[in-house]
Amino acid sequence: MAFNLKGRSLLTLMDYSPEEIRFILDISRQVKEERKAGNITGRFAGKTLALLFEKRSTRTRCAFETAFGEEGGYPVFLSKDDIQLGAKETIEDTARVLGRMFDAIQFRGFKHETVEKLAEYSGVPVYNGLTDRFHPTQILADLMTVEENFGRLKGVKLAFVGDGRNNVANSLLIGCSKTGVDFTVVAPESLFPDRELVAYAEEQGKKSGSRVEVTSSIEGVKGADVIYTDVWVSMGEEDRQKERYKLLKPYQVNDDLMAKTGKSETIFMHCLPAVKGNEVTFEVIEGPASRVWDEAENRKHTIKAIMLATI
Ligand code: CP
Ligand code: NVA
């Protein structure tokens, strides 16, 4: 079914219904096929996109920039050192100015509140390319990758192992519970996701059939079709490094942990960038179960899809 998403922002996947997520994933598959066939049609011709970055990025920046540019659009990269983003000018004022000049805005940075203000004041679609709290465009690519591997989302079991309250884990909780993917967080108790967010996911799961579980036991990976991890120390939390290493060492994704799923077909996923030897061993990320490069590529197709649907 087609949905009219024109003008909509993507700040978290809470903003989108399961049917709307399905719609975006269907467009993603189409644009991936088009690109493979060399069939690019200039659908962003005459359009402009502002790319605001307070934090570094490889995949997200390149996905937005190439997806928009190859369809004839004009993306403008603006780091926090280039513009008055909250320095000398309020976010609200910057948002209103950018909204007069651009057709859409992507923001990556620290406070989730900043991306909310951009959306409220700019009057154009705003995409959250990662905040301290959420990373929704990542999860669209993850769902696409899971579906490519298993031919379905419903009933697939995904276990996130590691920092269970970071932006990626939070967003997976939302995305999986909305689409019927069984989701288990395997993390030390001090890094469990917020209770409220888990309650939200459980509610979504009642409708989609997704089972949501949070455990500190590594045995939680049993039966998982997907083992997913992320860095132990996210951007902006560098001062936590020592404590995180100690807390998360037992949660490293290695051959032993992969074997604990009890399934030979389990795949490994990671949003990247990865610190090999910390959250995942070289053997696992470079081994046959790893799907991380497909996952990275799918960032581009899913980001193109969300822009096509909303601009
Ligand atoms: N996965 C991801 O968001 O990567 P970047 O930080 O390189 O954009
Ligand atoms: N949790 C990581 C994700 C990077 C894409 C971070 O915020 O640094």
Side-chain angles (χ1 to χ4, degrees), residues 56-61 108 130 135 138 235 271-273 299:
R56 284 172 188 266
S57 167
T58 300
R59 279 142 288 268
T60 308
R61 174 184 176 176
R108 163 171 289 201
L130 180 149
H135 195 7
Q138 176 67 50
M235 289 180 277
C271 56
L272 304 178
R299 296 298 307 286

Side-chain angles (χ1 to χ4, degrees), residues 41-60:
T41 52
R43 285 165 290 194
F44 295 130
K47 304 275 184 200
T48 52
L49 170 70
L51 296 168
L52 310 187
F53 284 85
E54 288 179 341
K55 291 177 178 172
R56 284 172 188 266
S57 167
T58 300
R59 279 142 288 268
T60 308

